[in-house]
Amino acid sequence: MSAPLLDSPAVSTQWLADHLGADGLVVLDATVLPYTQPNGRPGYLGGHESYIVNGHVPGAVFADVIEELSDPTGPYPFTRPDAERFAAAAGALGVDNETTVVVYDAVVGQWASRVWWLFRAFGYDRVAVLDGGLDKWVAEGRPVDIGHVEPTPRVFVAEPREQLWASKSEVAAIVAGDAPGALVCGIPAKEFSGEAGNRPRKGHIPGSVSVPAGQLVDRESNAIAPTERLTALLGPVLNEERVVTYCNGGIAAAADALALTLLGHRNVAIYDESLNEWAADADAPLVTTVAA
C-alpha cells in the first residue's frame, strides 16, 4: 500500500484519524515548551518528557527541534541544520523520500510549522501540519498514547532549496528598496512595537507588517484561523512578488510562512537568523512605535 497523499500543507484531525497507521505515514510530535529562566528571560525545553508522560497521537515519533533539527554549533538558537545533518535527522525519525509526514505540536503550531518548513527547504513536499495540533486532537476525545515510540530508521536524501531562505543582505536590500519583497514579522505585538522584549535594541525591521504567530490560530480550538482571517492579517503582502517572514529566531516566522502558503503565495522565504542577527548589528535599523 502506498503512503496517503496530501493535497494541502495542513491536514485536519479527521484526515489524520482516517489515515492513522497507514503504511508510509509518519506522524511527528515536534513539541517545544517555553519556560522562564532564572534571569527572567524566556527559554525553551524539548517536549520529550511531556510526550512520554502526558501523551501523544498514537504512533507519533518525537522530533527534537532543539537538538536534532537545529544546528547546535550555529551562532543563534534554532539555527537551521545543513543538508547532511537534516537528512540524518529525518532518516532517524523513520522518514524516507516516499514517506508522508504529518507534524504537530502541543502549542500554537509554530514548532510544527518549523519542521514542515525544514522539510520543504530540503526539497521534500509530502509533509503537512496537523491543523489544531495535539490540543484539538485531545479536545475531540481522540485516542492518546503514553510512552516512547522508537522509529525504524530510513534513508532520507535532502535537496536544498536555498531560495526558501533569505539572508540579512536580502532583507537589507528590501528595506532599502533595492530588491522586491515585503517583510512579515511573527513576534508578539508588544515586541513588534518595542513595548516589550529582552534585547537592548527593541522593535522591528522597517517596513514590516506585524502578524504575530498567535493570531493565526483560533484561541479556543487552536485550529488554523479561517481563510478570511488569514487574508485580513496578510492582505497587505499577498500581492508582493516575494515575502520574507522573520521573528526572533525563525520559529514563529514559519507559522507566517505556512499561512502565506495556505493562501496561495508561492514565493515565501524565512530570514532564519531573524532579529537575533539583525538587532545585534548596531547599524541595522529598527523601528519602534512607542516612546523609547
Side-chain angles (χ1 to χ4, degrees):
M1 182 185 298
S2 59
L5 299 178
L6 300 169
D7 60 7
S8 170
V11 297
S12 68
T13 50
Q14 187 59 55
W15 185 97
L16 182 57
D18 290 342
H19 293 89
L20 203 61
D23 290 344
L25 174 66
V26 170
V27 181
L28 300 179
D29 184 318
T31 298
V32 174
L33 301 174
Y35 75 103
T36 301
Q37 301 182 69
N39 60 9
R41 299 174 68 88
Y44 298 94
L45 293 170
H48 189 240
E49 182 176 347
S50 176
Y51 159 90
I52 291 174
V53 175
N54 297 322
H56 51 79
V57 172
V61 174
F62 182 73
D64 193 333
V65 179
I66 296 177
E67 295 294 333
E68 302 300 331
L69 293 171
S70 298
D71 179 0
T73 67
Y76 307 107
F78 314 118
T79 297
R80 60 182 167 119
D82 62 19
E84 181 179 4
R85 182 176 180 84
F86 181 80
L93 291 170
V95 177
D96 62 21
N97 296 82
E98 300 295 328
T99 304
T100 294
V101 181
V102 173
V103 57
Y104 71 87
D105 61 40
V107 280
V108 297
Q110 62 185 17
W111 300 101
S113 297
R114 173 68 174 189
V115 174
W116 166 79
W117 190 262
L118 286 171
F119 271 103
R120 292 190 72 234
F122 286 109
Y124 200 63
D125 294 320
R126 294 180 63 172
V127 182
V129 171
L130 179 61
D131 186 2
L134 187 62
D135 281 1
K136 191 169 187 290
W137 180 271
V138 171
E140 293 170 347
R142 301 187 188 274
V144 172
D145 284 353
I146 60 172
H148 178 75
V149 176
E150 186 64 27
T152 300
R154 306 286 184 185
V155 175
F156 181 86
V157 178
E159 298 181 358
R161 295 167 171 164
E162 290 300 326
Q163 71 272 22
L164 297 188
W165 303 106
S167 65
K168 182 185 176 189
S169 60
E170 180 183 354
V171 173
I174 292 172
V175 172
D178 297 330
L183 303 175
V184 171
C185 182
I187 62 178
K190 288 190 175 182
E191 289 187 36
F192 182 87
S193 69
E195 297 172 77
N198 292 289
R199 27 179 92 75
R201 299 182 67 225
K202 297 179 177 63
H204 59 272
I205 300 173
S208 302
V209 175
S210 176
V211 186
Q215 293 187 14
L216 299 172
V217 298
D218 179 85
R219 290 186 179 181
E220 292 186 5
S221 68
N222 210 40
I224 297 171
T227 299
E228 295 78 9
R229 170 68 174 164
L230 297 182
T231 301
L233 291 168
L234 292 160
V237 303
L238 287 179
N239 292 323
E240 295 286 345
E241 177 180 340
R242 182 165 167 84
V243 181
V244 174
T245 69
Y246 74 94
C247 52
N248 288 317
I251 305 299
D256 281 328
L258 173 63
L260 285 160
T261 304
L262 287 169
L263 291 175
H265 206 294
R266 293 296 177 262
N267 190 0
V268 180
I270 290 178
Y271 174 25
D272 195 46
E273 296 80 5
S274 286
L275 288 171
N276 282 334
E277 177 181 60
W278 187 272
D281 179 357
D283 295 325
L286 285 172
V287 175
T288 60
T289 54
V290 296

